[in-house]
Amino acid sequence: MTAPKPSLELLRALTDENVLRVLMAHDRLTRAEIATRTGISKPTISESVQRLERARLVVDTGERTTGRGRVGSYYALAPHLGTALVASITPQGVVAEAVDALGRTRGQVRTALHADAGQEAAAEALGAAAARLGGESAGPLRLAVVSAADPVDRATGRLVHLPDAPFLVGELDPPAVLAGAVTGPVLVDNDVNWAARAEYEHGCVQGVDDFVYLHLGEGLGCAVVGDGVVRRGHGGLVGEVAHLYTAGPDGQAMAFTEVFAALDLRRNSSTAVDVPKLLDILDTSDTRAERVRLALARAIGGVLSAALAFADPRTVVLGGPWGSHPRLIAAIEEHLARSPRSVPLSAAALTLPELTGARARAVEELASLIVRAAHPTTQW
Amino acid sequence: MTAPKPSLELLRALTDENVLRVLMAHDRLTRAEIATRTGISKPTISESVQRLERARLVVDTGERTTGRGRVGSYYALAPHLGTALVASITPQGVVAEAVDALGRTRGQVRTALHADAGQEAAAEALGAAAARLGGESAGPLRLAVVSAADPVDRATGRLVHLPDAPFLVGELDPPAVLAGAVTGPVLVDNDVNWAARAEYEHGCVQGVDDFVYLHLGEGLGCAVVGDGVVRRGHGGLVGEVAHLYTAGPDGQAMAFTEVFAALDLRRNSSTAVDVPKLLDILDTSDTRAERVRLALARAIGGVLSAALAFADPRTVVLGGPWGSHPRLIAAIEEHLARSPRSVPLSAAALTLPELTGARARAVEELASLIVRAAHPTTQW
DNA sequence: CAGTCTAGTAAGGACTCTTGCCTAAAGGTG
DNA sequence: CACCTTTAGGCAAGAGTCCTTACTAGACTG
């Protein structure tokens, strides 16, 4: 809409950005290689590299080309540019990594948590992991991307407790916990959204710009990808399907989460789904189990009718501890075949997908942080 | 992500774009005014204006400044740059306009249609309107933006007949109908999506980036705006809520459209809602009418639970012939107050909103067509 | 050891943007 | 009416960026 103001500084910034981006894709390159890869002339690249070296964003690695011809110098991103923290918080524990702008993992810390550890323990584990990774890596932790197994408030990054939804990780404020260890922004989103991003980039829906990812585990979650981007809505609560009205076992309209109460599939004194019991039923072949499967398929079919109405996905991905069970998928497909509108289903393909998705975002964000650092004033 | 390649041509293109954009916002300006408004220096503007004049995109209007100081020449976009066709097709008739890049309406044609005219009549009316507007205006019709009161296939722009949904306008292929009269692209979307855009820009949800617009008329439609953009999904069927499962009059789960059958609110031998009868009931105060209102509120509440789950709107806008009825809104609000999650409601504010929304898009698209015409090869 | 190949540099040209100054023409002022 | 002020537009100079071409330095090849 609004075109940037033309200026020579803009050109310079563009050249530098091209150089930095290509150095993020290939960790070490000579000036000549940068020139051919970017399509910019060698002299211009030389000037840019000099500029970036003076700004300490790029360094001569000391390595030299071997082979025919004159010896070239390899350049790379400066090592002290820092890393991004990637963290996943689940009831099982905290997994944290540091990644650099090239997407290389520089260290990983795993901390197991007790089943009823509470948010203090989670916060402590996250803080400790950040401190350790920050100490280990060459530069500072410049930003953090956090995945949490609960709804996340889009504005503040804090976890939200919705009525009738299990609160797995609990009242946690990742930006506050990480404020000391991380110098820049802290981006928080729930695990299902990150998992959807991972499936989009590396999993079973590559190239599908519009899809819905339904996560079925202890909690019931969903992610909506529209036009290639994870949609979060006003408060970040897109995909919170617990209160969605759907069809219950006897055809009554009821909230999705109530279906599990009606089927006696909840964990004691909790709104969490009893996953072992449910998996057990999915593996059983008697008529009672069959009835439960039908009821589940019908309830999930109702959820999918809502997904079709509000997201119009090309595909629906089913993930989570019991979501990708073949017998469940078969039952849902059968149900959909009798519905007026249908949609292809596929099973989630990745393990630890939320970390993959969060990592991708972290790398992207770190890259743009570095590029903007080269020309703080120029904007477009 | 990928930065454009720096080049002097890019700078030139950027300058020209700045000039063209400012001339689209203010119909006539002197070189000096362009310079101050864009923040670019006078000599640069002079060169750009010369270039654009040679390319016949800009003309000296012949007008001269009056007042103190040297007389300046006013420049403006060339008049033959053409216009965009904006058309709305409803069962009542066709309304078509030509708009230029400054958003000025250059002519309007209204054609009434008989209640059961069929798509041939609609196609003919559309074609005739386009031919007339194309003949009247100075330049060609360079693109068209069409609003139709039916679902639109995102890939082809053709209207789609979904099962159990009324097919108001019918099997129409606007791109084919307009191929002769319009030189460029034909963008088609359904009226509810355009109406949502209009409410976003000029109506009751200005500045609200995430909202849902529920249109309740003969057909049941919905638009989802996420991050400030109307979301269409894979096939363009976002908002087709007819088959969404919700709660029926007796608490049974049923498709939204079936609720109207159950309440005997359909027009004879059709799936269209009987709007006069429904409005009548909304205005009545006996217990039977009250029961119908309750049932409607419950069914719409179910639809809104799906909207909350999949779009997380900040606000829900209710529009259409019976959607903004105060008594209906009150009934829905009462229902929502008892639900675990709620959302503010507001009534649609605009008349003929679909034309307003389509017009905005047409102006935007025409502007970018003109800007790109100035530098066909440069891309960024 | 001459030939070949390649990274990096130097020179020159083309082009764009900016600053500053100048001119022309109109309105206002005494 | 003469003069000053104001404003649009043009011109010149200068700085900066990118590109092409040509060259140099150094290492491998045969």
Side-chain angles (χ1 to χ4, degrees):
Chain A
M1 195 62 198
T2 35
K5 207 174 125 178
S7 76
L8 297 174
E9 195 196 336
L10 178 68
L11 281 188
R12 218 185 324 150
L14 247 29
T15 305
D16 291 351
E17 172 160 359
N18 273 280
V19 171
L20 289 171
R21 296 257 181 225
V22 75
L23 279 176
M24 287 169 189
H26 309 87
D27 58 346
R28 57 186 193 112
L29 294 171
T30 66
R31 300 180 182 202
E33 285 168 345
I34 296 173
T36 55
R37 283 187 195 281
T38 56
I40 300 170
S41 71
K42 285 196 291 175
T44 304
I45 295 298
S46 266
E47 279 183 34
S48 173
V49 169
Q50 277 178 34
R51 253 199 313 269
L52 293 171
E53 216 175 349
R54 270 199 306 277
R56 307 210 180 286
L57 294 172
V58 157
V59 291
D60 183 340
T61 60
E63 294 171 293
R64 297 291 177 263
T65 51
T66 60
R68 324 195 63 164
R70 174 173 171 182
V71 184
S73 307
Y74 281 111
Y75 290 86
L77 289 186
H80 62 84
L81 281 183
T83 53
L85 179 71
V86 185
S88 161
I89 308 169
T90 65
Q92 282 73 51
V94 172
V95 184
E97 289 180 357
V99 292
D100 65 14
L102 285 98
R104 293 176 300 208
T105 301
R106 313 295 275 186
Q108 198 183 56
V109 176
R110 286 165 176 269
T111 316
L113 291 177
H114 290 103
D116 50 353
Q119 63 257 30
E120 289 83 6
E124 203 178 317
L126 178 61
R132 185 159 143 211
L133 289 168
E136 278 175 7
S137 67
L141 289 172
R142 298 188 63 176
L143 64 95
V145 176
V146 178
S147 161
D150 273 316
V152 176
D153 182 89
R154 189 174 181 178
T156 64
R158 302 188 59 151
L159 308 196
V160 183
H161 193 184
L162 297 177
D164 301 326
F167 206 28
L168 301 171
V169 178
E171 194 107 13
L172 190 66
D173 185 354
V177 172
L178 294 174
V182 173
T183 60
V186 176
L187 308 169
V188 190
D189 203 354
N190 74 66
D191 53 349
V192 185
N193 281 348
W194 294 124
R197 180 174 176 153
E199 295 286 347
Y200 179 58
E201 276 167 10
H202 304 105
C204 62
V205 280
Q206 288 172 50
V208 178
D209 280 343
D210 300 274
F211 69 94
V212 162
Y213 182 106
L214 187 58
H215 174 95
L216 301 172
E218 296 191 357
L220 307 164
C222 185
V224 175
V225 172
D227 297 320
V229 175
V230 173
R231 297 292 155 194
R232 302 189 61 189
H234 172 59
L237 301 182
V238 162
E240 296 304 327
V241 290
H243 293 116
L244 178 59
Y245 272 79
T246 185
D250 305 316
Q252 290 294 109
M254 62 171 67
F256 189 31
T257 180
E258 301 293 334
V259 174
F260 298 87
L263 291 172
D264 195 24
L265 283 171
R266 276 187 174 171
R267 279 207 330 235
N268 283 345
S269 67
S270 130
T271 52
V273 174
D274 190 336
V275 175
K277 185 170 178 188
L278 204 159
L279 284 173
D280 214 44
I281 287 175
L282 285 178
D283 285 328
T284 310
S285 289
D286 60 17
T287 50
R288 190 180 155 278
E290 181 62 25
R291 213 163 41 230
V292 173
R293 274 199 295 277
L294 266 176
L296 287 174
R298 190 198 282 200
I300 294 169
V303 172
L304 294 186
S305 84
L308 287 174
F310 284 98
D312 188 26
R314 168 135 179 234
T315 307
V316 170
V317 180
L318 289 158
W322 57 279
S324 49
H325 195 290
R327 250 167 138 172
L328 181 76
I329 293 184
I332 300 171
E333 270 170 347
E334 203 174 317
H335 178 91
L336 282 180
R338 293 193 308 274
S339 303
R341 280 180 68 190
S342 187
V343 63
L345 304 182
S346 54
L350 303 173
T351 56
L352 226 54
E354 74 277 12
L355 209 59
T356 306
R359 194 187 296 127
R361 174 67 181 272
V363 172
E364 191 179 296
E365 211 66 31
L366 183 58
S368 95
L369 216 59
I370 291 171
V371 167
R372 272 175 293 165
H375 292 269
T377 57
T378 313
Q379 69 234 333
W380 61 82
Chain B
M1 194 63 196
T2 36
K5 210 174 121 177
S7 75
L8 296 175
E9 195 196 336
L10 178 69
L11 279 190
R12 221 183 322 147
L14 246 30
T15 306
D16 291 352
E17 173 160 0
N18 273 280
V19 171
L20 289 171
R21 296 257 181 226
V22 75
L23 279 177
M24 287 169 189
H26 309 86
D27 57 348
R28 59 187 190 112
L29 295 171
T30 65
R31 300 181 183 201
E33 285 168 344
I34 296 172
T36 54
R37 282 187 195 282
T38 57
I40 300 170
S41 70
K42 284 194 295 172
T44 304
I45 295 299
S46 268
E47 280 183 32
S48 173
V49 168
Q50 277 178 35
R51 251 197 317 268
L52 294 170
E53 216 176 348
R54 271 199 306 277
R56 310 210 177 284
L57 294 173
V58 156
V59 293
D60 183 341
T61 60
E63 294 172 293
R64 297 291 177 263
T65 51
T66 60
R68 325 193 64 164
R70 176 175 170 179
V71 182
S73 307
Y74 280 112
Y75 291 87
L77 289 187
H80 63 83
L81 282 182
T83 53
L85 179 71
V86 184
S88 161
I89 308 169
T90 65
Q92 283 73 51
V94 173
V95 184
E97 288 180 358
V99 292
D100 65 15
L102 284 99
R104 294 175 298 206
T105 301
R106 312 295 274 185
Q108 198 183 54
V109 176
R110 286 164 176 269
T111 316
L113 290 176
H114 289 103
D116 49 352
Q119 62 257 31
E120 290 84 6
E124 201 178 319
L126 178 61
R132 187 162 141 208
L133 290 167
E136 278 174 7
S137 68
L141 289 172
R142 298 188 62 177
L143 63 94
V145 176
V146 178
S147 160
D150 273 317
V152 176
D153 183 88
R154 189 174 179 176
T156 64
R158 300 188 59 153
L159 308 196
V160 184
H161 193 183
L162 297 176
D164 300 328
F167 206 29
L168 300 170
V169 178
E171 194 105 16
L172 191 66
D173 185 355
V177 171
L178 294 174
V182 174
T183 61
V186 176
L187 308 169
V188 189
D189 204 352
N190 74 65
D191 53 349
V192 185
N193 281 348
W194 293 124
R197 179 174 178 153
E199 295 286 347
Y200 179 58
E201 278 168 10
H202 304 104
C204 62
V205 279
Q206 289 172 49
V208 178
D209 280 344
D210 300 274
F211 70 94
V212 162
Y213 181 107
L214 186 58
H215 174 95
L216 302 171
E218 296 192 357
L220 308 164
C222 185
V224 175
V225 171
D227 296 319
V229 176
V230 173
R231 296 293 156 194
R232 301 190 61 190
H234 172 59
L237 301 183
V238 162
E240 295 305 327
V241 290
H243 293 115
L244 178 59
Y245 273 80
T246 184
D250 305 315
Q252 289 294 108
M254 61 171 68
F256 190 31
T257 180
E258 301 292 336
V259 174
F260 298 87
L263 291 172
D264 194 24
L265 283 172
R266 276 186 175 173
R267 278 205 332 232
N268 282 344
S269 67
S270 130
T271 52
V273 174
D274 189 336
V275 175
K277 186 171 178 187
L278 204 159
L279 284 173
D280 215 44
I281 287 175
L282 286 177
D283 286 327
T284 311
S285 290
D286 61 17
T287 49
R288 189 178 157 277
E290 181 62 25
R291 214 164 39 234
V292 173
R293 276 200 293 277
L294 265 175
L296 286 174
R298 191 198 280 199
I300 294 169
V303 172
L304 294 185
S305 84
L308 287 174
F310 283 98
D312 188 27
R314 166 132 182 237
T315 307
V316 170
V317 180
L318 289 159
W322 56 278
S324 48
H325 194 289
R327 250 167 139 171
L328 181 76
I329 293 184
I332 299 171
E333 269 169 347
E334 204 174 315
H335 178 91
L336 282 179
R338 294 194 308 272
S339 303
R341 278 179 69 189
S342 187
V343 63
L345 305 182
S346 54
L350 303 173
T351 55
L352 226 54
E354 74 276 13
L355 209 60
T356 306
R359 193 188 296 126
R361 173 67 181 272
V363 172
E364 191 178 297
E365 210 67 31
L366 183 58
S368 95
L369 215 60
I370 291 171
V371 167
R372 273 176 293 166
H375 292 268
T377 57
T378 314
Q379 69 233 333
W380 61 86

